[in-house]
Amino acid sequence: MSQVPRSYFGLWLIVLLLFSVVYSISYSKNEVLLLATTTSVDNSGLLEHVLDAYLKDKPHLLVRVIAKGTGAALQLAKDGQVDAVIVHAEQQEISFIDEGYGINRTTLWYNYFVIIGPKDDPAGVSESSTILDAFYRIYQTQSPFISRGDESGTHQREKQIWDLLGLSPYDQYWYLETGSGMAHTLVTANQLNAYTLSDLGTYVQLKKNVGLQLEQLYSKEEPLSYNPYSYIITNPERFPERNVERAKDLLVFLIRNPELVSGYQVDGIVLFRPLGE
Amino acid sequence: MVLSDLFDGIVLILTGDPEVWSIAFLSLLVSTSAVALASAIGIPLGVFLGRSNRGNGVFFSSVLNTLMGLPPVVVGLTVFLILAAEGPLGTLNLVFTPMAMVIAQFVLTLPIVVGITKSAVNEIPEDLPKLLKSMGADEAQTRLLLWHEAKTGILIGVITALGRAFSEVGAILIVGGNLKGYTRVLTTAIVTETSKGNYGVSLALGILLMSLSFCVTAFVTALQHRR
């Protein structure tokens, strides 16, 4: 073996050493709960706030959060990758349950979708009487509109509104899709001085962080702007390896402690309201 | 505004915020593990390919060169599908773990190490071994001298692979999931903080990333310069 330089064995030693560390991190003895959520509950800081309270007396529990749009979160659950989801798209949630992927769908919190747009409001969105009227004005005036375009709950709602109006803006020159999260979409809309549909939480958080020039132009509380967030547990019959007991325990904690949510504010604004308040 | 944010971010790092440091540690661990394994396998493979006359054809070299530029997101997606619960290796439960990130970066960096090692070995004049032997070197001495000839080139391969691994975000985002406190590394943290509009923190993390990358690269460069 004299032809192999000694440093080569040293290299394998390093590999072994590094891999034992990676291995021990990857398979920790701690209990793990995997949660896929919409970006809004994570970006707004709400999730961290409630999980900190939940984890206070549970040193060996790790909650890992994958923040994606509702579509991606539900897909992860369908593939058996997570223990529970927090999402906001009623139709998709119902078919998710009907197809046998999830159980215990519980609506925990709600807020209202808002329309964000340029200060001078060329479409006159702030004068509209309903959210349908607001979207109609944007279409009529061909004002730039930025869509999430990522099958998230917000994107679903936006498409539902266009459908109800019988309008199809998707190939219009003033209609753009980012295909990414709410925060990025808001930043894009801000750069392009365009309108967008947003959840309240991400907008308030971003207004504070980035100093968005855009204003909240429409925020009426009506059924079409109602934005409920639901917690769904992965069906244990389908995915027996998932940590369903812990997912149920967290759900019970969230139901019993609504004040954690109603007391959470960013810049003095309550972002989510617990159901039944 | 960004400047004052940047200042806050730098303060966060310098005051030893535990979250920032654990993220930095994971970056270092994942990327060096991947490149160490890629080197342990790729260097001998590259030496073998460089010395045999096979593997020097235009077609084979083109394939190898293409692999050196594998798109991270494609590697990430492929590794994800293989490791996912319903994939062929789903029973290993590796998806969204640091181990999965190491595997993805290993796949990305292996062709770089192999390719650059191969061309470093190719660079050695074909009749050098004969020359060395004629000057009285025995078999072991010849090999050692040849190794020294190729070393500089081979370590350039390792340095390139490290640079690739440290700066990579697409693959580890897909297979690691960017889980806070578990699989979040510096590059994915920068993506997250940027999407939240925390530009200053992002910039500070970027400076930290480049400093770490510099330290590791300097270490390998020192090896390269050692006689």
Side-chain angles (χ1 to χ4, degrees), chain B residues 24 27-29 31-32 35 105 109 160-169 172 185-187 209 212-214 216-217:
Chain B
S27 271
L28 195 65
L29 180 68
S31 297
T32 47
V35 174
Q105 292 208 328
T109 52
T160 311
L162 278 170
R164 172 88 155 171
F166 269 112
S167 57
E168 194 272 317
V169 55
I172 45 177
V185 292
L186 284 168
T187 50
L209 176 63
L212 279 182
S213 173
F214 172 79
V216 175
T217 309

Side-chain angles (χ1 to χ4, degrees), chain B residues 124-206:
Chain B
I124 298 174
E126 234 171 280
D127 44 5
L128 187 62
K130 268 188 216 152
L131 183 70
L132 290 172
K133 275 179 196 154
S134 72
M135 288 163 75
D138 64 24
E139 183 71 11
Q141 283 171 324
T142 307
R143 284 178 187 276
L144 196 66
L145 286 164
L146 288 176
W147 164 248
H148 276 294
E149 270 315 293
K151 191 178 83 170
T152 308
I154 290 172
L155 288 179
I156 287 174
V158 176
I159 290 169
T160 311
L162 278 170
R164 172 88 155 171
F166 269 112
S167 57
E168 194 272 317
V169 55
I172 45 177
L173 193 60
I174 296 175
V175 300
N178 191 25
L179 304 180
K180 190 175 171 223
Y182 185 49
T183 56
R184 184 163 295 174
V185 292
L186 284 168
T187 50
T188 56
I190 290 171
V191 172
T192 305
E193 292 307 320
T194 304
S195 79
K196 288 185 197 169
N198 296 330
Y199 301 136
V201 175
S202 295
L203 267 178
L205 290 173

